[in-house]
Amino acid sequence: MPSEPLYIQIKQYIERKIDQGHWPVGERISTEMELTEQFSVSRMTVNKAIRDLVGEGKLERKPRLGTFVKRPAEKAESPLLDTRNIAQEVATRGKSYSCVVIKHQSIHADQTIATKLGVMLGSTVYYSEILHKENELPIQLECRWVNAKYAPEYHHQDFSKVTPNEYLTANCPMTAVEHTVEAIMCGDNIGRLLEMNAQDPCLLLHRRTWSDDKLISSALLYHPGSRYQLSSKIEL
């Protein structure tokens, strides 16, 4: 017996039908009543599955006509091997950038953060948590820890007006960057902020940056897998 909730099973069934080409772009899918009878569930359960797929941009409802497969939206993209200002990236795509500063505080490094930043346990570090948006849709959750010794004014910046990347690039020019990427399930908290379901895939970029021999910051950058992609280009 599948362990997933019924609405997830129905959602996965619809996604498989789309991926396998049974329901191409522009095709009307089965009605809610048909899916209700097929899976022997309540109409509310079917409606939940369809609403999720509409919210993810995979389906669209047309009044009095039904629910149709939607053409995939163009994904936002960032270079994997670069550290560009996300506000400039969004503007370059011709979209509107905005952000929400969730946290911006001075903290004492625990064992994990001390290891990430190469500082002593209990050292003062700065932490910022910012939700970046493109046309009001979240595309990145940035959780960043900064060595207070090397960027003492970081804590006093207004990150609703300047991004952490922009400030650090101007004041601690980056000479080395470390990147690690992994795919994760976003979970409840990240999903709520990125407007995703807890079971949806999320791209997580671990980034550490140096200025000369100084380790300046360590960041976790969460991206919705359905709306974002990372790319790289290597000259041979």
Side-chain angles (χ1 to χ4, degrees):
M1 277 297 279
S3 58
E4 296 89 350
L6 289 172
Y7 84 91
I8 293 293
Q9 297 177 41
I10 298 169
K11 180 181 173 182
Q12 292 172 342
Y13 166 80
I14 295 172
E15 290 177 314
R16 282 196 303 271
K17 296 279 278 188
I18 294 173
D19 293 341
Q20 294 169 0
H22 295 294
W23 288 331
V25 172
E27 182 85 3
R28 183 172 67 85
I29 71 168
S30 299
T31 65
E32 287 190 10
M33 188 58 68
E34 290 169 340
L35 290 170
T36 295
E37 295 175 355
Q38 178 179 345
F39 287 91
S40 300
V41 296
S42 69
R43 189 162 181 174
M44 183 181 300
T45 299
V46 172
N47 182 265
K48 166 64 173 168
I50 291 176
R51 279 193 292 110
D52 282 2
L53 290 170
V54 169
E56 293 171 18
K58 296 177 181 178
L59 297 176
E60 62 179 333
R61 296 182 188 269
K62 296 183 179 180
R64 298 183 296 279
L65 294 177
T67 304
F68 294 78
V69 179
K70 188 175 180 181
R71 185 177 300 280
E74 179 182 353
K75 288 187 176 182
E77 180 177 304
S78 285
L80 177 58
L81 302 180
D82 202 350
T83 56
R84 296 180 188 171
N85 178 5
I86 192 169
Q88 291 180 343
E89 281 186 20
V90 172
T92 299
R93 291 192 287 268
K95 306 296 178 63
S96 173
Y97 170 79
S98 61
C99 72
V100 177
V101 179
I102 300 170
K103 293 182 181 179
H104 188 192
Q105 58 196 30
S106 173
I107 63 174
H108 295 293
D110 60 16
Q111 188 63 60
T112 300
I113 302 308
T115 301
K116 282 185 176 183
L117 279 180
V119 299
M120 293 184 63
L121 185 67
S123 297
T124 296
V125 300
Y126 298 139
Y127 175 70
S128 59
E129 189 171 313
I130 301 172
L131 185 65
H132 301 283
K133 298 183 178 183
E134 181 175 294
N135 286 356
E136 295 302 320
L137 190 64
I139 57 169
Q140 183 189 93
L141 175 63
E142 172 188 347
C143 302
R144 185 183 296 270
W145 295 265
V146 174
N147 190 324
K149 178 180 178 181
Y150 301 138
E153 295 301 313
Y154 185 89
H155 186 52
H156 301 294
Q157 303 309 303
D158 182 353
F159 289 129
S160 66
K161 297 179 179 178
V162 59
T163 66
N165 173 280
E166 186 177 356
Y167 172 77
L168 290 174
T169 299
N171 292 273
C172 304
M174 284 174 265
T175 57
V177 181
E178 175 187 88
H179 280 159
T180 304
V181 181
E182 63 176 319
I184 64 170
M185 303 295 277
C186 67
D188 291 330
N189 293 334
I190 302 299
R192 175 178 54 81
L193 292 170
L194 290 176
E195 298 181 13
M196 302 165 60
N197 293 312
Q199 299 85 3
D200 288 345
C202 183
L203 290 175
L204 172 56
L205 173 62
H206 301 254
R207 174 183 291 166
R208 294 200 298 172
T209 58
W210 283 260
S211 182
D212 294 327
D213 61 345
K214 304 177 181 68
L215 178 52
I216 304 298
S217 76
S218 176
L220 298 177
L221 308 174
Y222 299 86
H223 309 84
S226 62
R227 301 195 296 270
Y228 211 87
Q229 62 187 13
L230 299 167
S231 64
S232 66
K233 180 180 179 181
I234 301 175
E235 298 289 347
L236 300 177

